[in-house]
Amino acid sequence: MQHCCKFMDIFSKKNIRPTTFRKEIVSIFEAKDHAITTKEIEEALGKHDRITLYRTLKLFIENGVIHEITLPNEEKTYALCEEECADGEHQHEHLHFKCEVCERIYCIELPQAPQFDLKNFIVKSMEINLRGICDHCN
Amino acid sequence: MQHCCKFMDIFSKKNIRPTTFRKEIVSIFEAKDHAITTKEIEEALGKHDRITLYRTLKLFIENGVIHEITLPNEEKTYALCEEECADGEHQHEHLHFKCEVCERIYCIELPQAPQFDLKNFIVKSMEINLRGICDHCN
DNA sequence: ACTTAAATGCAACACTGTTGCAAATTTATG
DNA sequence: CATAAATTTGCAACAGTGTTGCATTTAAGT
C-alpha cells in the first residue's frame, strides 16, 4: 500500500498504534472531501464493531487526528485535522460550511482568524459554522 | 404576575398557547443570564414530565422563542432568542462564548455580523462559538 | 356551559455512546 | 524468530437523550 508512510506519519507523531482498523478509518476519511457522520463511516466499513469505532473516533479526537463538528439540529460529523492540531487542542483557522443543497459539511481554511473585540473577555479559541450553498451546488 | 404581558407577547406573536408549563419554562430562561442545559431546567422545575419538556423545547426552537447551542464535547444548551428570530430561522448577529472558568455559555450581541469572503459560496447564516475567560471571571 | 382542538402524562421504544471483561492483536525483548 | 507484556478489539450489558402512540386533561371558541 502506498499509504503506509502517510499512516505512519499520522500515527507515529501522535503515538498511536497503526492497527488495521485505525488505518481503515483514516482511509475512509481521506477518500472524502467533506466531513462525515458515524453512519457514513459505518457504511464504508461494512461488517465491524460499533464500540471500537466510537473508541477510535474518541482516540483520534484526543490526539488531534480528527475533529468533531457539531451543528444545531445536525448529526455530528468528523473530519481530518490539519497538521498543526495537537493532542486535543484543536486550533483551527478554518470554518465549517454546511451546504443546504448537497447537505455536505466542508472544512474551509481561512487566510487568517477573524478578530472579535469583546472588551474584558479573553478569547482562546473559536469555531465558526456557516450555512448556505457551496461552490459546487451554486 | 407582572409577567403576563411579556408571556402574551412572546406566545401570541408566535401563535403558541400560553399554558402554565410553557410560562414556567420561559420564566426559568428569564431568570438566567446565560444559556442553560435541560438538566438545569429540570432542576428548576421540580416534579415534572421529561417528555413534555422535550416537546416544549422543540416547539420553542421551531417558533423562534429559544435557540439551541451545540459546542463539541459539551451538553446542548438553550437560550432565549432576540425579537427578530422567527419560525425556525435563527438569524442571530450574536456569538456564543463558553467560559472555561465558570463553565457558563453566554450569548453576546455583535454590532455587526462578520463578513466571510468565500468566492462561490453563498453564506446564508452563521454561528460563532468562542471559548476563553468571561469578563466576570477575568 | 359545551364542543372542539391542542397539550399533557404515561409506557414503551430507538439511538447514541459508555463500561467491564475476556480474547485477539501488536510491540518489545531475548 | 519465538515469547512475554501491553494494548486493542469484540461482546454483553447498561446509561442517557430524545421520540412515538395513545388516553386523559386542559385551553379556546361558540
Side-chain angles (χ1 to χ4, degrees):
Chain A
M1 282 196 271
Q2 66 174 124
H3 270 159
C4 282
C5 297
K6 206 168 186 179
F7 287 138
M8 281 318 191
D9 253 35
I10 290 177
F11 292 136
S12 65
K13 269 187 203 159
K14 318 280 185 178
N15 269 322
I16 295 174
R17 289 194 181 181
T19 66
T20 312
F21 188 81
R22 289 171 185 172
K23 286 190 252 182
E24 211 175 335
I25 300 295
V26 173
S27 295
I28 292 169
F29 277 108
E30 285 176 338
K32 307 270 184 173
D33 70 335
H34 57 275
I36 51 181
T37 60
T38 50
K39 204 171 289 173
E40 286 177 88
I41 298 169
E42 296 196 73
E43 277 164 16
L45 274 175
K47 192 200 165 303
H48 70 283
D49 180 57
R50 212 166 52 86
I51 291 126
T52 306
L53 175 56
Y54 280 119
R55 277 195 281 229
T56 303
L57 293 178
K58 203 174 176 182
L59 179 84
F60 281 6
I61 292 167
E62 283 164 357
N63 290 280
V65 178
I66 62 171
H67 60 284
E68 186 181 285
I69 304 164
T70 54
L71 302 180
N73 278 321
E74 306 280 344
E75 276 180 279
K76 285 181 185 179
T77 56
Y78 304 89
L80 287 173
C81 289
E82 297 300 311
E83 294 291 321
E84 315 89 52
C85 290
D87 317 354
E89 281 299 318
H90 298 282
Q91 294 288 357
H92 298 180
E93 304 240 329
H94 84 223
L95 51 81
H96 303 130
F97 189 98
K98 160 93 182 189
C99 175
E100 61 191 29
V101 178
C102 64
E103 301 202 316
R104 285 179 177 164
I105 294 171
Y106 296 94
C107 296
I108 300 174
E109 296 300 318
L110 284 180
Q112 63 195 43
Q115 295 300 311
F116 297 99
D117 185 23
L118 305 169
K119 341 165 213 176
N120 297 315
F121 289 73
I122 299 170
V123 178
K124 295 203 174 175
S125 68
M126 67 180 68
E127 195 200 2
I128 299 167
N129 301 319
L130 308 184
R131 282 168 190 272
I133 302 170
C134 75
D135 58 349
H136 219 248
C137 295
N138 184 12
Chain B
M1 284 195 274
Q2 67 176 119
H3 270 158
C4 282
C5 296
K6 206 167 187 182
F7 286 138
M8 281 319 192
D9 253 36
I10 290 176
F11 292 135
S12 66
K13 269 186 200 158
K14 318 281 184 177
N15 269 324
I16 296 174
R17 289 195 183 180
T19 65
T20 312
F21 188 80
R22 289 171 184 173
K23 285 191 252 182
E24 212 175 334
I25 300 295
V26 173
S27 295
I28 293 169
F29 277 109
E30 285 177 337
K32 307 269 184 175
D33 71 334
H34 58 275
I36 51 181
T37 60
T38 51
K39 205 171 290 173
E40 287 178 88
I41 298 170
E42 296 196 75
E43 278 163 15
L45 274 175
K47 194 199 163 304
H48 70 283
D49 180 57
R50 213 167 52 86
I51 292 125
T52 306
L53 175 56
Y54 281 118
R55 276 194 282 227
T56 303
L57 293 179
K58 202 173 177 183
L59 178 84
F60 281 6
I61 292 167
E62 283 166 357
N63 290 278
V65 178
I66 62 171
H67 61 285
E68 186 181 285
I69 304 164
T70 55
L71 303 180
N73 277 323
E74 306 281 345
E75 277 181 278
K76 285 181 184 178
T77 57
Y78 304 90
L80 287 173
C81 289
E82 298 299 313
E83 293 291 319
E84 315 87 54
C85 291
D87 317 354
E89 280 298 320
H90 298 281
Q91 293 286 356
H92 298 181
E93 304 239 328
H94 83 223
L95 51 81
H96 303 130
F97 188 98
K98 161 94 181 187
C99 175
E100 61 191 28
V101 178
C102 65
E103 302 202 315
R104 286 181 176 163
I105 294 171
Y106 296 95
C107 296
I108 299 174
E109 295 302 317
L110 285 179
Q112 64 195 44
Q115 296 299 311
F116 298 98
D117 185 23
L118 305 168
K119 341 164 213 176
N120 297 315
F121 289 74
I122 299 170
V123 178
K124 297 204 175 176
S125 68
M126 67 180 68
E127 195 200 2
I128 299 167
N129 301 319
L130 308 184
R131 283 168 190 271
I133 302 171
C134 75
D135 57 350
H136 219 249
C137 295
N138 186 12

